[in-house]
Amino acid sequence: MLDWTAIAAGAGVGLIVGLTGVGGGSLMTPLLISVFHLDKAVAIGTDLWFAGLTKVSGSVAHHREGHVDYHITKKLLMGSIPATILTMAYMHMEGISKSGDSVLAYALGIALLLTAVTVAFRPLWHKVGIWLERYITRERRPVLTVMCGAVLGVLVSLSSIGAGALGATMILLLYPRLDMKRLVGTDIAHAVPLTIVAGIGHASLGNVHWMLLIELLAGSLPGIWVGAKLTKHLPDTITRFALCACLVVAARKVLLSA
């Protein structure tokens, strides 16, 4: 029997992703913890696969349109994939103790708050990036890109959050003159291998609820399509405010549970 609550939850998150372009991982992990009562580690592992699989089609579409800057993607992956592997290796060796569960909770809460700030002030990041150009020279940019990838790798492995909104903001700050379509395409192209590698690591620890994942995907795919259609009729300010409010509430619940 299908769990229609899971399908509805997937559709709701997909709708928000379609409306705002972000929020999949940011909302799904707290939802899996609070509504479906999954352990934090299982919620994070399930969400990583949810995020990776839902973004595959988007990555392919952006590739076909020529919207992916593979030079930037390669530099980000040079930092994020090794950082993800090392983080997962540490989790394999140490396991997830009670203290480790608290670390996951704090990482999740902080990532949610960072995402809320990122979404709330999204229109300002371009101006900040232009101002930073005096310090971020062409010579320093590749190293900083790899470092940003490493930060994302650790954060995504611990919380399943960051590959979308935070990744796009980092790219925007480092490459403020990058066309917006290429920024979005590059961010999605980087997020897919990152989330899947982290997802494989969590799956090897038994941290994925596969049946629930299938039900969530069944709801999210049409939800994203409907959200993309509705975004033409809703002001960007309203959708960003609603998403930020959800993220802050979710962060508060997660941090209190820690």
Side-chain angles (χ1 to χ4, degrees):
M1 294 293 292
L2 291 176
D3 186 345
W4 290 101
T5 303
I7 295 175
V13 172
L15 181 68
I16 293 173
V17 173
L19 282 170
T20 64
V22 296
S26 308
L27 295 177
M28 183 54 73
T29 299
L31 198 66
L32 292 173
I33 295 171
S34 60
V35 176
F36 297 97
H37 308 293
L38 297 185
D39 291 337
K40 294 180 182 67
V42 177
I44 289 168
T46 304
D47 180 49
L48 284 167
W49 280 100
F50 175 82
L53 293 175
T54 53
K55 289 180 178 180
V56 167
S57 59
S59 178
V60 172
H62 280 289
H63 166 75
R64 289 177 176 175
E65 295 295 327
H67 294 164
V68 180
D69 189 317
Y70 284 103
H71 175 74
I72 299 175
T73 303
K74 179 181 176 181
K75 295 295 183 186
L76 287 169
L77 289 173
M78 285 173 62
S80 63
I81 298 301
T84 298
I85 293 172
L86 289 173
T87 303
M88 296 312 307
Y90 177 79
M91 292 177 70
H92 267 277
M93 290 186 295
E94 297 295 325
I96 301 177
S97 60
K98 188 173 182 180
S99 61
D101 190 63
S102 296
V103 171
L104 291 177
Y106 281 117
L108 177 57
I110 292 169
L112 286 167
L113 291 175
L114 287 174
T115 305
V117 172
T118 297
V119 174
F121 298 100
R122 185 161 58 177
L124 297 177
W125 296 124
H126 180 261
K127 295 179 180 178
V128 174
I130 294 294
W131 179 79
L132 286 174
E133 278 189 317
R134 67 185 73 180
Y135 305 105
I136 302 176
T137 61
R138 183 174 298 180
E139 293 75 19
R140 295 175 179 173
R141 195 169 287 154
V143 176
L144 291 173
T145 305
V146 174
M147 291 173 63
C148 285
V151 172
L152 288 173
V154 174
L155 192 59
V156 169
S157 299
L158 290 177
S159 69
S160 79
I161 297 170
L166 295 181
T169 302
M170 288 182 176
I171 295 172
L172 184 59
L173 291 174
L174 291 173
Y175 303 88
R177 301 187 187 277
L178 188 67
D179 180 79
M180 189 55 63
K181 292 179 181 178
R182 288 178 66 80
L183 186 149
V184 173
T186 302
D187 180 44
I188 292 176
H190 169 247
V192 171
L194 169 57
T195 52
I196 289 179
V197 169
I200 291 172
H202 276 273
S204 66
L205 288 167
N207 293 342
V208 181
H209 194 310
W210 295 107
M211 187 59 202
L212 182 58
L213 172 64
I214 293 171
E215 292 165 343
L216 292 169
L217 289 171
S220 70
L221 298 179
I224 290 173
W225 183 83
V226 173
K229 294 292 184 182
L230 290 176
T231 191
K232 300 177 182 178
H233 307 290
L234 291 176
D236 181 64
T237 303
I238 293 177
T239 55
R240 281 194 293 113
F241 175 80
L243 178 58
C244 289
C246 291
L247 293 173
V248 171
V249 171
R252 181 177 179 274
K253 288 184 177 180
V254 171
L255 290 172
L256 286 176
S257 71

